[in-house]
Amino acid sequence: MRTGPSLRLCALLLCVCLLWAACGCPLTPPEWAQLPQTLQRILARAPAQALLLWRSWLLHPPALLSRDFAGALRAMGSVTLRVWNGERQSPEEMALESYVLGVTAAEMPAGYAPAALQCQAVAARTRAISTCLALGGNGCRSHPDCDVCTSSACCQGYLSAQGRREKWGDTADVYEARLAAAVRQTAGQILVWDGLPIETLYHACSGGVTEDAAAVFSRSVPYLVSVDSPGEEQATGFEVRTEMTRVEAAQALCAAFPGCGVTAEQLPAQLKLLSSTASGRISRVRVGSAEVTGAAFRQALGLRSTLCTWEADGDSITFSTRGYGHGVGMSQVGAQAMAASGAGCPAILAHYYPGTCLVTLPEE
């Protein structure tokens, strides 16, 4: 008797799910329903990535917090972070949940749906826990004696209570209550892989599909793989056209890549796409005599993403981009779209960080 691809896929998914549950990471009904959809999307887009993910699950199945990490948490008691305050230019001690509230306020629009805000709170908390020096993390790369800083360019953005009130104005009380509820409803929750906190990368908008970490950071991460991110099309800034003169483009490219030989007269003929990633983003591009990465090209021209095309019209060049950010991990606009469609926080996190497990930190 021959078995079709769908039957074989379902059998493999069932084995993975049973193994996952047996390893102490039971799935809630929303997560159970989301898992096959997530894996099928990955399989359809990149079969090799799907096989790698399944192999990783079989060899290193998701688990609850490792015994050593849980022990370190209990020994530490209530988690207090040493945070470098960029506004004050000094370090300060901050309770974990207070920090998470400030990060969520800075990193995601307060008007987003509760489930999306909860996802952001979990992501912020996970990143803070993963870098905490007392728990074996590497701390802030810009301020080695601190766990984190308040810069989104380095660690995560952060807004103080006063900063939140100034940002939100007349809606401050309403938004403060919304975010406080999201933090409270996910109190102590983090994402783990193989017993340890994951690297929770996120970005504003994926442009419809997230990026594999290997394509951006030159290293594979089993839970940071490319997945579809439907529902983003209606978001403001989903697709943006950036127009500049040939002279402006040539100046920017020559400043970023000295010696490339780009001239206004020869653009855009001196731009050639060499390769794309599986998600359709620019991997490498020839700029005059230089071969550069998509990330460097994006930075040189100040573009919103590497999911980009260009066309010339007279003396100007127009760059069309979809999405905003590096595209790896959770799309915040995508999380909002899923939440608006009725998905809960666990299902959204399972979609953008496939194979991870949502756990609650042990109390002292």
Side-chain angles (χ1 to χ4, degrees), residues 5 39 122 134 141 169 203 219 224 236 258 262 286 292 300 332 347 350-351 353 355:
L39 290 180
V122 172
R141 65 176 182 270
H203 55 280
R219 56 186 177 86
L224 294 178
T236 302
V262 169
R286 184 170 296 285
V292 304
Q332 294 169 318
H351 175 73
Y353 304 105

Side-chain angles (χ1 to χ4, degrees), residues 25-34 346-347:
C25 191
L27 296 171
T28 63
E31 292 170 323
W32 182 274
Q34 188 66 36

Side-chain angles (χ1 to χ4, degrees), residues 83-90 92 143 149-151:
V83 181
W84 177 265
N85 188 317
E87 184 177 338
R88 298 179 182 177
Q89 287 295 297
S90 64
E92 63 178 277
H143 308 280
C149 72
T150 57
S151 169

Side-chain angles (χ1 to χ4, degrees), residues 219-256:
R219 56 186 177 86
S220 295
V221 182
Y223 50 81
L224 294 178
V225 293
S226 177
V227 299
D228 287 336
S229 188
E232 296 187 2
E233 297 80 6
Q234 304 305 316
T236 302
F238 172 76
E239 187 167 3
V240 172
R241 292 170 63 85
T242 303
E243 184 176 331
M244 57 184 69
T245 67
R246 293 173 188 256
V247 172
E248 291 171 337
Q251 289 175 343
L253 292 169
C254 287

Side-chain angles (χ1 to χ4, degrees), residues 25-214:
C25 191
L27 296 171
T28 63
E31 292 170 323
W32 182 274
Q34 188 66 36
L35 181 62
Q37 298 171 21
T38 299
L39 290 180
Q40 288 186 56
R41 289 191 188 103
I42 300 172
L43 180 63
R45 182 166 299 282
Q49 292 176 348
L51 292 174
L52 175 63
L53 182 59
W54 289 329
R55 180 177 179 274
S56 297
W57 276 342
L58 291 172
L59 296 178
H60 304 285
L64 301 179
L65 284 174
S66 71
R67 195 171 291 178
D68 290 343
F69 195 83
L73 279 165
R74 291 192 179 94
M76 187 178 183
S78 58
V79 179
T80 300
L81 301 172
R82 184 173 173 84
V83 181
W84 177 265
N85 188 317
E87 184 177 338
R88 298 179 182 177
Q89 287 295 297
S90 64
E92 63 178 277
E93 302 296 315
M94 196 177 298
L96 174 63
E97 299 303 318
S98 295
Y99 171 76
V100 170
L101 176 59
V103 172
T104 305
E107 294 284 4
M108 179 174 276
Y112 273 18
L117 293 172
Q118 291 166 18
C119 289
Q120 184 61 53
V122 172
R125 186 181 297 109
T126 303
R127 184 179 291 189
I129 287 293
S130 70
T131 59
C132 181
L133 293 166
L135 297 172
N138 294 323
C140 172
R141 65 176 182 270
S142 300
H143 308 280
D145 61 332
C146 292
D147 300 308
V148 289
C149 72
T150 57
S151 169
S152 59
C154 180
C155 295
Q156 301 183 105
Y158 176 84
L159 275 178
S160 65
Q162 180 180 346
R164 298 194 293 270
R165 186 159 293 278
E166 292 174 354
K167 177 183 179 180
W168 296 330
D170 294 340
T171 59
D173 290 340
V174 174
Y175 283 164
E176 186 77 16
R178 285 174 61 83
L179 268 67
V183 174
R184 183 175 62 253
Q185 289 159 0
T186 62
Q189 292 182 358
I190 66 169
L191 290 167
V192 301
W193 172 271
D194 200 19
L196 295 173
I198 71 165
E199 185 177 3
T200 49
L201 297 181
Y202 51 85
H203 55 280
C205 177
S206 75
V209 57
T210 68
E211 182 62 286
D212 190 298

